[in-house]
Amino acid sequence: MASSTSTLPGEAILNKKITAPYGSWKSPITAEVVTGAEKRLSGIAVDGHGRLLWVESRPDEAGREILVKEANEPIDITPKEFQVRTLAQEYGGKAFTVCCDTVVFSNYEDQRLYKQIIGDSFAIPITPDYGGPIVRYADGVFDLGSQSYVTVREDTRDSSINPTTTIVSITLNGETNQEPKVLVGGNDFYAFPRLDSKGERLAWIEWSHPNMPWDKAELWVGYISKDGDISQRICVAGGDPLLVESPSEPKWSSKGELLFITDRNNGFWNLYKWIEHKNEVVSIYSIDAEFTKPFWVFGACSFDFIPTNGNNNLIACSYRQSGKSYLGILDDAQKSLTLLNDTFTDISNIVSGSDCIYVQGASSIHPLSVAKVSLDLSKSKAKAYAYFYPPSNPSYQASEEEKPPLLLESHGGPTDESRGVLDLNIQYWTSRGWAYVDVNYGGSTGYDREYRERLLGNWGIVDVNDCCSCATYLVDNGNVDGERLCITGKSAGGYTTLASLAFRQTFKAGSSLFGIADLASLRAEIPKFESHYIDNLVGSEDAFFERSPINFVDKFSCPVILFQGLDDKIVTPEQARKIHMALKHKGLPVALVEFEGESHGFRKAENLKYTLEQQMVFFARLVGNFKVADEISPLKIDNVD
C-alpha cells in the first residue's frame, strides 16, 4: 500500500521532519488559540466561607470582565448587565472587594460603585450618578464598625487632565447615592487605604508630582475620631528628606501591627514593620530581592498574614530575584524565611485562605493561573537581561544553512518587567519558525533601584541601546539571521520600537502597538498619574524633541505597521496617525490599523487575533522571504499594494 505526505512548495522531508524555511512552518498554535487563551486574571480575594473569587476577562464577550467564584465548576457572580473594571488613573486595577458574602465593585460603563450579595442576580449602586463615568473608584476596604466603604476616588468633574484624587468613605446602609465623605486629600495621588481590624487607624500611600510612586512616596497613618474623620496623622516612611524611598503595600496584622514594603537601605523592596510608640521603622527581613513591583495598577498584594495563635506573625510572601519569583513563609519574630516548592516562576498576587494560600502566577509551562497551596504549619518554619526563545516545532526543522528570523519585544511601562512564563503569544511565533527575545532593558524592575533608575533622563537611549545590543548579540552568536531582525512593542515598548527604527539601523521592520511617536504630545495629553513621570524619563526640553521619532522621519528606512485603539486616552490615536502619514509620504511600506471600542491595550478576541496575524503576514511579506502556512488575508500596505 502506497502512502504520501503533502508538503508546501520548497518543503522536503528529512528524518520524519519537514524541512522548510524559517517562518513558513505550519503551527497548531493558531491566532484563534492564542486569542482564546487571552483571559486575564486581574485580582483575587477570599470570601467569608473561604472560597476564592477572581476577576476574569472574556475576549469572546468583547473583553468583558466579571467576578468568578471558586466551585467544582466556577460560578459567574457578576450580573450580565455589569462589568467589573475601574478606569481610575486609566490603568485601573483592584475593582472589587469582598467581605463575608458582600461584594462592592466598580462597574465599567458608569464607573459607579455597586453592592452585591454573592448569589443575587442584581446589584445596588452606592455612589451618586454623575451622568457618566467621570468619577472613578479603586482599591477599597470595608469598615465594618461604621458600616462604610473606604476607597480611593479619582474625580474628573472639574478637570479631566488634572483630576482630584482623594480617599473617601461611602456609607453602606441607609440611603444610596449619598456624596462620599472625604477622609484624606490635598496631595496629587493616593493608594492602598488600609484599616486596622478595629477601624481606629487608617494607613495609606501618597505621592506628589513630579515623582512616580516608585521614585519617592510616603506612608501615612491617620487616627480616626468618633465622628469618622481623620483627627491626627503621622508620616511613617518617606518623610525624611535625606532618605529617598518608595514605600508600598501597607497592611495591618490581626494584632494591630503595621507591615509594609519599602526600598530604603539596600535599594531593594523589602519588608519592614512600624514600631508605633517610637515611630520607628525596623527591617523584618533583608535580602537583595524585590518583594513588590512598581505601582501601575491599584491593589497589588505581594504578601498576606497567615492566621496563628502565637505572638509572632507568619507571612506568606513572594519576591523576585534574578528574574525569578520565589514563594515563602516569613516568621517576623525569628526573621527566618522558609521557601515553599512552587510551580510558578512569576508570582503576581498572594492571599491567605483557610489553612492555605492562593497564589496568582505563571511559569514557562503554566499560563497565568491561580494555585492553592495547602499549609501544614506544624511542619514548617516560618547590563540588560532577556528571555530568548528559539524556534521549536516537533514537526518541522530548517536547513542547516538557514538562520531564523528574530522578533524582539520591548516591554511597556517602561518601568515594568518581562517575565519568563508560558505565553502563547510567544509560542505563536516560535512554533512557526521564528526566534523570539523578550528584553528587560535598563529601567526594568526586578533588578534593584539602581537598575530601575538607569532610564531616568535616558528614555529613548538606554532602552534602545539595550534592545539593539541584544539583537546584535544573537546575530554574532549565530542564533538568528541578521537580515531578518524585527522589533515590536506596546505602549512605551512601541516608543522603543519606533525610536530603534528611527535612530538605529539594526532592525529591518517594526510593529508598534499603541506606541508613542511624539513625546511632547504625550506629555500634553498624558493622564495626571504619569504627567511628571514623562519629564523624569526624558529630561530636558531639547530631549523631548530630539528623541521623538515623529521629528526624524527622514531617518526611518524600513517597513512599519501600527495598531491603535480609538478610545485610548493614554496614547491617543493622533500619535499613530501622525507617524503613519509621515512614513507614507516618505514612501516607506507602512500600514495603520485602528480599532473602534479599544483603549490602551486590546481586549476583544477578534482584534487580538487580527493584530497577531497581520504582524506575522506583514513581516513575512516584507522581511521574511517566506509564505506563512496559515490562510490569512493580508491587509493593504501603503506604498506596496
Side-chain angles (χ1 to χ4, degrees), residues 20 27 69 94 128 134 139 151 180 283 297 397 496 505 512 555:
S27 171
K69 179 182 176 181
K94 185 182 178 186
I134 57 176
D139 202 7
T151 183
S283 171
V297 298
Q397 65 182 15
T496 301
Q505 299 298 315
S512 171
K555 294 182 179 293

Side-chain angles (χ1 to χ4, degrees), residues 287-456:
I287 184 175
D288 288 353
E290 306 275 32
F291 278 77
T292 190
K293 54 192 174 185
F295 176 92
W296 279 105
V297 298
F298 287 97
C301 189
S302 305
F303 72 97
D304 203 0
F305 295 102
I306 299 172
T308 175
N309 295 323
N311 294 322
N312 60 329
N313 289 311
L314 289 182
I315 305 157
C317 60
S318 69
Y319 63 84
R320 283 188 70 77
Q321 191 174 51
S322 301
K324 183 179 185 297
S325 291
Y326 296 87
L327 177 66
I329 297 178
L330 180 62
D331 186 323
D332 71 338
Q334 300 293 328
K335 293 194 173 182
S336 63
L337 179 66
T338 301
L339 293 179
L340 302 177
N341 292 327
D342 184 53
T343 58
F344 295 148
T345 56
D346 175 36
I347 296 173
S348 50
N349 286 304
I350 294 174
V351 296
S352 180
S354 177
D355 297 323
C356 70
I357 54 176
Y358 292 98
V359 182
Q360 180 181 343
S363 73
S364 59
I365 58 173
H366 296 284
L368 185 60
S369 315
V370 179
K372 182 178 182 179
V373 181
S374 298
L375 299 175
D376 184 353
L377 299 180
S378 65
K379 295 182 180 180
S380 67
K381 303 176 183 177
K383 339 170 226 202
Y385 304 86
Y387 295 99
F388 177 63
Y389 306 89
S392 180
N393 186 314
S395 300
Y396 283 87
Q397 65 182 15
S399 65
E400 293 182 359
E401 297 78 20
E402 187 185 7
K403 301 295 182 185
L406 173 72
L407 182 59
L408 181 147
E409 180 173 0
S410 170
H411 67 68
T415 309
D416 207 339
E417 178 185 1
S418 297
R419 301 171 182 235
V421 302
L422 175 62
D423 185 347
L424 291 182
N425 285 282
I426 294 174
Q427 291 191 317
Y428 178 83
W429 295 87
T430 59
S431 64
R432 284 167 171 75
W434 282 75
Y436 198 103
V437 65
D438 211 352
V439 180
N440 278 322
Y441 48 78
S444 303
T445 58
Y447 304 95
D448 80 11
R449 175 181 278 267
E450 182 180 359
Y451 191 81
R452 189 170 77 238
E453 291 184 345
R454 280 184 60 203
L455 207 59
L456 295 182

Side-chain angles (χ1 to χ4, degrees), residues 235-306:
C235 186
V236 172
D240 185 348
L242 301 179
L243 178 63
V244 177
E245 61 179 320
S246 50
S248 185
E249 294 196 50
K251 188 168 293 185
W252 298 95
S253 73
S254 60
K255 306 174 184 66
E257 297 173 306
L258 180 64
L259 275 64
F260 62 98
I261 298 172
T262 190
D263 56 356
R264 60 169 59 188
N265 298 330
N266 66 352
F268 286 87
W269 275 313
N270 284 187
L271 273 163
Y272 289 79
K273 181 193 294 186
W274 179 45
I275 308 302
E276 183 175 10
H277 68 280
K278 296 180 180 179
N279 191 26
E280 292 182 355
V281 171
V282 298
S283 171
I284 294 178
Y285 191 80
S286 181
I287 184 175
D288 288 353
E290 306 275 32
F291 278 77
T292 190
K293 54 192 174 185
F295 176 92
W296 279 105
V297 298
F298 287 97
C301 189
S302 305
F303 72 97
D304 203 0
F305 295 102
I306 299 172

Side-chain angles (χ1 to χ4, degrees), residues 172-251:
L172 294 175
N173 288 335
E175 295 183 11
T176 61
N177 306 333
Q178 294 183 19
E179 188 68 25
K181 177 181 181 178
V182 175
L183 297 179
V184 183
N187 213 333
D188 289 316
F189 302 100
Y190 295 93
F192 294 108
R194 299 292 183 262
L195 281 163
D196 69 8
S197 59
K198 296 181 180 179
E200 297 174 347
R201 295 168 296 176
L202 176 69
W204 69 87
I205 299 294
E206 64 178 66
W207 68 99
S208 59
H209 285 324
N211 297 307
M212 295 302 285
W214 50 82
D215 296 324
K216 190 177 189 301
E218 296 175 352
L219 167 59
W220 286 78
V221 170
Y223 295 87
I224 302 174
S225 64
K226 292 182 179 180
D227 60 4
D229 293 321
I230 302 294
S231 61
Q232 179 186 352
R233 65 186 69 187
I234 187 170
C235 186
V236 172
D240 185 348
L242 301 179
L243 178 63
V244 177
E245 61 179 320
S246 50
S248 185
E249 294 196 50
K251 188 168 293 185

